[in-house]
Amino acid sequence: MTVIKAKTKGRFITVEGGEGAGKSSNLAYIQSLLEVAGKQVLFTREPGGTPLGEAIRELLLGHKHTGMADDTELLLMFAARAEHLQQKILPALEQGIWVLCDRFTDASFAYQGAGRGLSREKIANLERFVQGSLRPDLTLLLDLPVETGLQRAGQRSEPDRFESEQRDFFEKVRAGYLQIAAREPDRVKVVDASPALESVQSQIDTIMRHYLESLGE
Ligand code: TMP
């Protein structure tokens, strides 16, 4: 019998963090580490990543629908995610491409769950419905005190609908993320994002090196 070895599937890596955690620079850094390791990488983001997803992102982040119901917000996040998975993420993984995504479902648990107060069960139901058994293989959580993050984010442009929330909301989001990391330490690696960029990158180096070694590819 001839056994045809299936091409290795791509891995799904997500990066999460509160406002001002330095996601953009660190995502670019992670992408470069993966490419140096010989991986083909698709970089994408949520909410967004497809034309429809980006249109939903505008509805979610813009100020036109400021009083949006929490359930609507959650459903729009998952509508964008369903589109993103079907059109972009799953096809890439099937082709052996590594997907590096700026936020994913942990953000729904942190922002809509811990932040807005929606139940874990409600979000977990949508997660099962939209993703089946798909979960990220590795998640880096860029964690830093809310105060520091808000100061950093404040130096940037016009705040979006989430960035306009009060400090108390971001404290809940941070606690929500840390709870996920405590529950799933194998998947979610916490990076202390408060020091200077080189020190953050050195933590990322260690995490990525261990992860790539653990795959033994
Ligand atoms: P950002 O990725 O540019 O930081 O902006 C996306 C915003 O959307 C951010 O404030 C977090 C929020 N968000 C949620 O509330 N739930 C989600 O599921 C996702 C993916 C993002």
Side-chain angles (χ1 to χ4, degrees), residues 141-187:
L141 170 58
L142 303 177
D143 175 65
L144 82 175
V146 169
E147 191 68 46
T148 318
L150 290 180
Q151 273 165 15
R152 286 187 190 169
Q155 293 159 10
R156 296 202 302 254
S157 54
E158 189 73 0
D160 63 35
R161 200 172 60 84
F162 288 98
E163 290 163 346
S164 308
E165 286 294 335
Q166 299 302 307
R167 188 192 158 137
D168 176 52
F169 176 80
F170 298 116
E171 293 287 0
K172 291 186 208 159
V173 169
R174 183 185 188 203
Y177 270 133
L178 288 172
Q179 228 173 51
I180 300 172
R183 230 183 351 249
E184 294 183 69
D186 289 342
R187 172 178 70 87

Side-chain angles (χ1 to χ4, degrees), residues 93-181:
L93 293 174
E94 284 299 325
Q95 288 172 53
I97 297 170
W98 286 45
V99 176
L100 176 61
C101 193
D102 180 350
R103 297 194 190 279
F104 195 62
T105 304
D106 292 319
S108 302
F109 283 105
Y111 282 77
Q112 282 67 54
R116 302 279 191 230
L118 296 181
S119 79
R120 236 189 84 70
E121 194 197 349
K122 196 179 247 183
I123 304 170
N125 281 337
L126 285 171
E127 182 183 42
R128 271 189 298 275
F129 170 56
V130 168
Q131 296 166 223
S133 61
L134 182 92
R135 301 289 180 274
D137 294 298
L138 173 70
T139 298
L140 285 88
L141 170 58
L142 303 177
D143 175 65
L144 82 175
V146 169
E147 191 68 46
T148 318
L150 290 180
Q151 273 165 15
R152 286 187 190 169
Q155 293 159 10
R156 296 202 302 254
S157 54
E158 189 73 0
D160 63 35
R161 200 172 60 84
F162 288 98
E163 290 163 346
S164 308
E165 286 294 335
Q166 299 302 307
R167 188 192 158 137
D168 176 52
F169 176 80
F170 298 116
E171 293 287 0
K172 291 186 208 159
V173 169
R174 183 185 188 203
Y177 270 133
L178 288 172
Q179 228 173 51
I180 300 172

Side-chain angles (χ1 to χ4, degrees), residues 19 23 46-47 57 77 81 103 107-108 111-112 162:
E19 310 303 315
K23 274 191 299 113
E46 289 214 345
R57 180 184 176 94
M77 291 292 176
R81 185 161 297 137
R103 297 194 190 279
S108 302
Y111 282 77
Q112 282 67 54
F162 288 98

